[in-house]
Amino acid sequence: MEIPEKELLAPGHRACAGCGATIGVRLALKMLGENTVAVSATGCLEVITTPYPETSWKIPWIHVAFENAGAVASGVERALKAQGKDDVTVVAFAGDGGTADIGLQSLSGAMERGHNLIYICYDNEAYMNTGVQRSGATPYGASTTTTPHGEESFGENKPKKNIPMIMAAHGVPYVATASISYPEDFMMKVQKAKEVEGPAYIHLHQPCTTGWGYDSSKTIELGRLAVETGSWLLYEIVEGEFKITYRPLERKPVNVYLEAQKRFKHLADAEKEKIQNYVDEICAELKI
Amino acid sequence: MTSVGAVVRDPGSSIKNKTGSWRTFKPTLDKEKCIDCGNCILFCPEGCITKDYDIDYDYCKGCGICAEECPVKAIKMERE
């Protein structure tokens, strides 16, 4: 696969050392190219890339509120169409909070109306920018500042909301999950999303050194462990057709993923077993 | 045109902010050992490793991902 050299996200941004979100955006922009307009919901990405009066973006970019990335991306797409600029790609970037919780209604509307746009959710599994509060995408057992573990609690007590499947239920032509640790798989999916006529949704899993609690050098390794343990799945749904795009040769026990992170360190064996059973169930169904 | 909101007209202007000053550990690449796989370039959160494998220390925050992901351990992290 030919990977374009050109960087469309400039350095100097304020992301934590070892940030997974900026890796994801860099890779996505390489495939989307210069003829792209980006929309960002409130979140880490917006804060770190645009400390006024500076910007890291080398393409037109607009920041909108937490809840309306889907709506604004729709508007941008229609405005470009009205001007006859059909060749411009419109992409929205939002975090898991801006996607699974606050922006879900406007995203659902955009998907339903069938706009020709790409929506990429960079999922670090909590509200990292404001100090690690749980979101709908926080996985079972994770300790966050609003689901702290202690005598009364083992952390988040609900499973991760399955946003890609909610998007697939809209009947859009392209839905995919991806991980920054599998860049070729991710970039191939961005390319497909770009080529598709109509809405495309990519859910990008990206480890967060600050919120998950691991050394900054391990960002890629953690993303890989998520996939190799079956905790995160790589698939795509093209015109309703579901396909796994990567199968680990031998699935590792979830413990190796959980124990590498501070947010899961407190878990008792019973909870870890519950997580393993949950992963086993899904993987059995998908033959992973 | 009247502008509502904050407009930044200088694309990529965050380069004014030299994040290299954040660094505690500095990566150095042994080009003799390098096998030109491109992992470090691809995975750098700052995008500050060139196609010729030169690390831009003006922006490198020293996260260590490049050293961790180098399959031949050609990158060393040393305390500055």
Side-chain angles (χ1 to χ4, degrees):
Chain A
M1 184 172 139
E2 195 64 40
I3 297 168
E5 253 172 54
K6 193 151 189 178
E7 297 287 344
L8 295 172
L9 191 76
H13 57 69
R14 271 61 156 184
C16 305
C19 175
T22 49
I23 300 172
V25 171
R26 276 187 53 232
L27 299 180
L29 292 182
K30 276 177 184 289
M31 301 317 283
L32 295 172
E34 272 175 301
N35 200 15
T36 302
V37 176
V39 174
S40 280
T42 297
C44 274
L45 183 66
E46 167 250 329
V47 172
I48 60 185
T49 58
T50 57
Y52 189 79
E54 292 168 22
T55 178
S56 295
W57 299 79
K58 294 185 187 174
I59 56 168
W61 175 90
I62 181 170
H63 164 233
V64 295
F66 236 137
E67 49 276 83
N68 58 352
V72 173
S74 304
V76 171
E77 183 255 2
R78 271 314 128 100
L80 287 166
K81 205 172 172 184
Q83 293 174 0
K85 295 176 182 167
D86 288 331
D87 60 330
V88 182
T89 305
V90 178
V91 63
F93 288 102
D96 49 296
T99 302
D101 304 339
I102 309 175
L104 190 58
Q105 41 76 22
S106 76
L107 169 59
S108 177
M111 292 286 137
E112 175 209 314
R113 289 187 302 267
H115 294 281
N116 189 20
L117 55 84
I118 305 164
Y119 188 105
I120 299 178
C121 168
Y122 63 99
D123 182 5
N124 49 29
E125 306 191 318
Y127 290 84
M128 297 316 186
N129 174 46
T130 47
V132 202
Q133 291 84 12
R134 60 95 51 197
S135 80
T138 301
Y140 181 88
S143 186
T144 70
T145 51
T146 46
T147 58
H149 71 279
E151 275 171 38
E152 307 278 322
S153 161
F154 58 84
E156 172 67 34
N157 63 359
K158 291 170 196 71
K160 186 178 174 75
K161 196 194 275 189
N162 196 340
I163 298 296
M165 282 302 172
I166 295 174
M167 290 304 114
H170 286 69
V172 295
Y174 192 77
V175 173
T177 60
S179 163
I180 57 162
S181 304
Y182 296 80
E184 293 209 353
D185 177 81
F186 170 49
M187 291 163 95
M188 187 254 316
K189 286 167 177 168
V190 173
Q191 185 63 35
K192 280 190 185 174
K194 185 183 170 183
E195 283 163 11
V196 94
E197 191 61 41
Y201 177 84
I202 299 177
H203 198 104
L204 178 68
H205 197 238
Q206 55 100 164
C208 167
T209 168
T210 312
W212 296 14
Y214 62 82
D215 187 83
S216 64
S217 65
K218 304 278 187 196
T219 297
I220 301 302
E221 177 62 16
L222 259 296
R224 205 177 283 130
L225 282 178
V227 173
E228 297 295 332
T229 57
S231 306
W232 184 247
L233 308 170
L234 302 181
Y235 61 79
E236 63 180 6
I237 305 170
V238 187
E239 300 289 356
E241 195 86 25
F242 180 94
K243 195 182 107 193
I244 294 281
T245 57
Y246 175 82
R247 284 173 203 278
L249 281 177
E250 201 177 330
R251 192 152 54 84
K252 292 184 174 137
V254 289
N255 266 355
V256 295
Y257 175 57
L258 300 178
E259 281 164 13
Q261 306 169 57
K262 197 174 158 211
R263 63 176 178 158
F264 293 121
K265 275 262 158 72
H266 61 281
L267 287 181
D269 288 345
E271 254 71 49
K272 287 185 193 166
E273 208 181 301
K274 236 175 166 173
I275 296 172
Q276 182 68 64
N277 291 341
Y278 177 70
V279 168
D280 286 348
E281 222 171 273
I282 294 170
C283 290
E285 205 174 306
L286 298 171
K287 299 183 181 68
I288 291 174
Chain B
M1 196 179 90
T2 320
S3 158
V4 283
V7 179
V8 178
R9 293 171 207 279
D10 194 4
S13 50
S14 64
I15 52 164
K16 286 178 203 153
N17 183 49
K18 304 273 172 80
T19 50
S21 63
W22 299 13
R23 197 172 54 240
T24 311
F25 291 93
K26 184 179 182 177
T28 41
L29 169 67
D30 179 351
K31 288 195 179 178
E32 298 280 299
K33 276 195 195 165
C34 175
I35 54 163
D36 192 16
C37 73
N39 273 4
C40 55
I41 300 175
L42 216 50
F43 289 135
C44 175
E46 320 307 317
C48 71
I49 307 176
T50 67
K51 66 174 179 13
D52 301 319
Y53 297 91
D54 292 317
I55 301 167
D56 190 339
Y57 294 112
D58 275 353
Y59 301 104
C60 167
K61 293 169 186 163
C63 70
I65 290 177
C66 54
E68 185 73 21
E69 293 305 316
C70 177
V72 292
K73 299 282 160 234
I75 302 176
K76 256 207 224 102
M77 299 298 294
E78 274 163 326
R79 204 188 174 98
E80 275 190 277

